[in-house]
Amino acid sequence: MLWIALQFPQLAIDCISRGHGETLLSSLPLVIYAGPAQRPTLYALNSAAREAGLKPGMALAAARGVCGTLTALPRTLDKEESALQRLAIQLAQFTPSVTIDQASHGIVLEVSTTMMLFGGIAKLIGEVRRTVRTQGFQALVGIAPTPMAAQLLARLTQYQPSTRMCRDVGQLTERLADVPLVLFNWPHETINTLATLGLTRIKDLYRLPRHGLQQRFGDTVLNDLDRARGLAGDPRQYIVLPENFTSGREFLFEIHESERLMPFAETMFIEMEGFLRARGTATPIVVVTLKHGRNATTQITLGTREPARHATHWLRLLREKFSRAELAAAVIEMSVCADQLCPYLAETNNLLRNTPVNKQESVSNLMDRLAARLGEKAVYQIEVNNDHRPEFAWRKRIDTNPLAAASGQIRQRQSHAYSSAATSSAITARRATVGRRPSWILREPRALVGSDVPQYHGPLTLLTGPERIETGWWDGKPVARDYFVAQNPQKEVCWIYRDYRFGRKWYLHGLFA
């Protein structure tokens, strides 16, 4: 087995500041405080606060005296746990074996069965780092055959950046020998007692009798040492992916421009893409909610003709929505929700080319963007209507709920794959009929001069016909026509007909390309 451990030394700060921009953070001293209400102390600091002379453990009152522009926020464990949970769900796109270590606020992934799918351990670590970085977190990485050893190596990189990987379980005892004991999640009393005895590194405990060590410090110390070296089992409880996706951001300041919302939306859409990849699904509908005040909210519904999961596509649709209207009021919170999931249809490759066949996908994306900019009713599709009259042989496809209809069509297409043969034969028959029709049909038939020999840029020579179309008596729009294919002296091929209901006049109805 091979484990990747992620430790987050600035988790409390990252949960608050991510997405607000490097320029703002570099000029704003920000600290997270914890401890008793009578005398809170600094728990975490950003770089600007450290440059101002503040240090962890300093009293909050003293810190305000040192830095007059200090922004101090209380530590919220719920936000940290929620951020870890959402990040772990996103990392499940790399392996289904993801576990959260609540004691150390870290994430551990077992990747021995999936790393080759990503091109090896080096490329996989690069993808994991990129995913964590796009979410605004700073992470320390360790790799080892046991989860405990991987966590220790990850914490050790904060002091020795070159030591972070061990792939051979037989080398764990040697590689962990110089790891400080303070990196274990042991009580402070245990760490202090060991330091008083001159025991500061793991190798110092190797020389001690196991029985005496167990009597003095209990089972925890021995069990952790054995789990780290692979001498004892270390079962972990893997996360369970939720049935839908929800993510939100609370802002440090009120946001008045929609453009400033885009970085937050991008991180949430990337998070959603990771969730959808982990579940092997896509979604046709995403709801973005903007909170303006205590009770005022704005909901923006984004929909696609085909289920999608790429963050860039959803971000473009949201940008189109924002370009149509101004924000109703200042935004203090933003959330993204996707609760309609369906199986993802992966791209297929052409047998004659090395490039993916994504022409249909690009057309669908274009329709989604046009619908987001112009409105759902402004973009429609044309479908064949069962009518012999050419002017009624097509119609607009109007859906009462276009977004829901899109997802319903995809599910129906996936669940009724057996109907593809019948659909193919119907398309073949339709093409045979359409082959005798011009590609350009006039909106209104044009009357032609001449009773015996019709004229259109000269006399027309009849090539084929007649084709009788006599129908429509039941809806009050009857026709009785004989259609011909004709050609004029300029070699233009026309589709004309003689109407027997109005004095046997000739009409031009279309032109062949």
Side-chain angles (χ1 to χ4, degrees):
M1 304 181 76
L2 191 64
W3 298 80
I4 298 178
L6 302 173
Q7 297 294 138
F8 306 93
Q10 290 287 90
L11 179 62
I13 288 289
D14 294 339
C15 289
I16 300 297
S17 60
R18 60 191 179 123
H20 284 87
E22 293 295 332
T23 303
L24 179 61
L25 293 182
S26 62
S27 60
L28 175 65
L30 175 65
V31 300
I32 306 297
Y33 63 87
Q38 296 81 5
R39 192 180 183 276
T41 57
L42 304 188
Y43 173 77
L45 304 80
N46 68 349
S47 57
R50 295 180 185 275
E51 293 175 359
L54 306 182
K55 297 180 179 180
M58 181 182 293
L60 179 60
R64 293 188 185 277
V66 173
C67 181
T69 60
L70 182 65
T71 299
L73 299 173
R75 185 187 182 191
T76 308
L77 289 176
D78 292 341
K79 289 184 179 180
E80 297 178 19
E81 293 175 359
S82 176
L84 277 180
Q85 182 72 24
R86 293 200 302 268
L87 185 58
I89 291 173
Q90 188 177 3
L91 293 173
Q93 64 182 299
F94 303 113
T95 173
S97 306
V98 181
T99 181
I100 300 175
D101 189 348
Q102 298 291 353
S104 63
H105 282 179
I107 299 176
V108 188
L109 302 83
E110 202 287 306
V111 298
S112 61
T113 58
T114 60
M115 62 180 180
M116 298 309 299
L117 298 176
F118 298 90
I121 187 63
K123 291 185 178 180
L124 176 57
I125 293 175
E127 290 293 325
V128 171
R129 285 183 177 274
R130 182 188 61 80
T131 300
V132 173
R133 187 168 54 251
T134 56
Q135 292 304 307
F137 291 99
Q138 306 173 48
L140 304 175
V141 181
I143 302 98
T146 65
M148 179 71 73
Q151 291 178 285
L152 292 174
L153 292 178
R155 298 166 196 163
L156 185 62
T157 57
Q158 194 169 6
Y159 309 98
Q160 301 177 14
S162 60
T163 306
R164 64 182 182 90
M165 179 184 291
C166 177
R167 300 188 60 176
D168 187 0
V169 68
Q171 299 178 357
L172 277 178
T173 300
E174 179 183 353
R175 297 293 296 274
L176 297 176
D178 290 324
V179 173
L181 298 179
V182 295
L183 300 184
F184 283 96
N185 294 320
W186 295 340
H188 292 292
E189 295 79 5
T190 301
I191 298 295
N192 293 335
T193 303
L194 290 171
T196 303
L197 297 175
L199 307 174
T200 59
R201 299 183 180 276
I202 290 182
K203 63 182 179 182
D204 298 332
L205 301 182
Y206 291 164
R207 297 188 291 266
L208 297 179
R210 290 177 60 90
H211 181 69
L213 193 62
Q214 182 181 19
Q215 282 187 330
R216 182 67 181 271
F217 300 102
D219 295 331
T220 302
V221 173
L222 280 179
N223 290 341
D224 286 351
L225 287 176
D226 291 342
R227 284 196 291 265
R229 293 185 291 171
L231 302 178
D234 191 2
R236 301 290 177 116
Q237 183 176 2
Y238 300 139
I239 63 170
V240 178
L241 297 179
E243 295 297 326
N244 50 48
F245 173 82
T246 302
S247 180
R249 298 286 189 276
E250 294 183 6
F251 306 140
L252 291 176
F253 311 99
E254 292 183 346
I255 295 181
H256 299 269
E257 299 85 15
S258 59
E259 189 62 30
R260 292 187 59 188
L261 294 174
M262 300 310 294
F264 299 97
E266 182 178 9
T267 58
M268 285 187 282
F269 285 145
I270 292 176
E271 183 182 346
M272 181 184 70
E273 180 181 348
F275 164 78
L276 295 174
R277 288 181 181 275
R279 289 192 60 95
T281 59
T283 180
I285 301 176
V286 172
V287 178
V288 179
T289 303
L290 307 179
K291 187 176 181 180
H292 304 291
R294 182 172 299 177
N295 297 318
T297 59
T298 299
Q299 280 195 348
I300 302 174
T301 303
L302 307 176
T304 59
R305 266 62 184 173
E306 302 286 342
R309 66 185 184 189
H310 296 292
T312 54
H313 182 53
W314 293 108
L315 194 64
R316 283 195 296 264
L317 297 184
L318 182 62
R319 194 179 297 276
E320 295 291 350
K321 290 283 188 178
F322 281 151
S323 66
R324 295 178 58 196
E326 298 288 339
L327 294 177
V331 182
I332 62 174
E333 188 177 343
M334 183 179 186
S335 64
V336 171
C337 177
D339 56 4
Q340 295 189 22
L341 307 183
C342 51
Y344 175 69
L345 300 178
E347 294 179 351
T348 57
N349 292 330
N350 195 327
L351 293 176
L352 304 179
R353 300 177 183 177
N354 294 327
T355 57
V357 182
N358 56 2
K359 180 178 179 181
Q360 181 63 36
E361 180 182 358
S362 62
V363 172
S364 178
N365 292 347
L366 176 61
M367 293 177 61
D368 295 338
R369 295 182 63 184
L370 290 175
R373 176 177 296 185
L374 305 176
E376 288 294 333
K377 295 183 179 180
V379 181
Y380 55 85
Q381 295 183 358
I382 295 176
E383 63 181 5
V384 176
N385 188 30
N386 189 17
D387 199 312
H388 291 284
R389 293 167 292 185
E391 57 267 34
F392 300 120
W394 63 274
R395 63 185 176 186
K396 298 178 182 178
R397 191 175 73 187
I398 301 176
D399 299 321
T400 56
N401 187 351
L403 301 181
S407 60
Q409 291 164 5
I410 294 300
R411 287 193 294 268
Q412 184 178 7
R413 185 185 311 163
Q414 293 164 347
S415 61
H416 296 283
Y418 62 85
S419 64
S420 59
T423 303
S424 177
S425 61
I427 293 176
T428 302
R430 186 183 305 165
R431 285 176 179 173
T433 303
V434 173
R436 299 196 300 269
R437 298 290 185 263
S439 56
W440 181 15
I441 295 181
L442 303 182
R443 185 182 300 272
E444 295 290 340
R446 182 186 303 177
L448 302 176
V449 297
S451 57
D452 295 331
V453 179
Q455 304 283 326
Y456 180 69
H457 298 167
L460 293 174
T461 302
L462 302 183
L463 301 179
T464 62
E467 176 189 355
R468 172 60 62 93
I469 297 180
E470 186 170 357
T471 183
W473 52 267
W474 61 86
D475 60 2
K477 298 177 183 179
V479 297
R481 305 168 181 170
D482 279 344
Y483 278 87
F484 297 85
V485 177
Q487 187 177 40
N488 61 14
Q490 284 75 27
K491 304 302 181 181
E492 292 177 310
V493 181
C494 310
W495 200 41
I496 63 176
Y497 69 85
R498 170 169 276 183
D499 197 326
Y500 289 93
R501 298 180 62 251
F502 299 102
R504 298 171 60 86
K505 292 183 179 181
W506 290 95
Y507 291 87
L508 174 68
H509 206 170
L511 296 171
F512 290 88

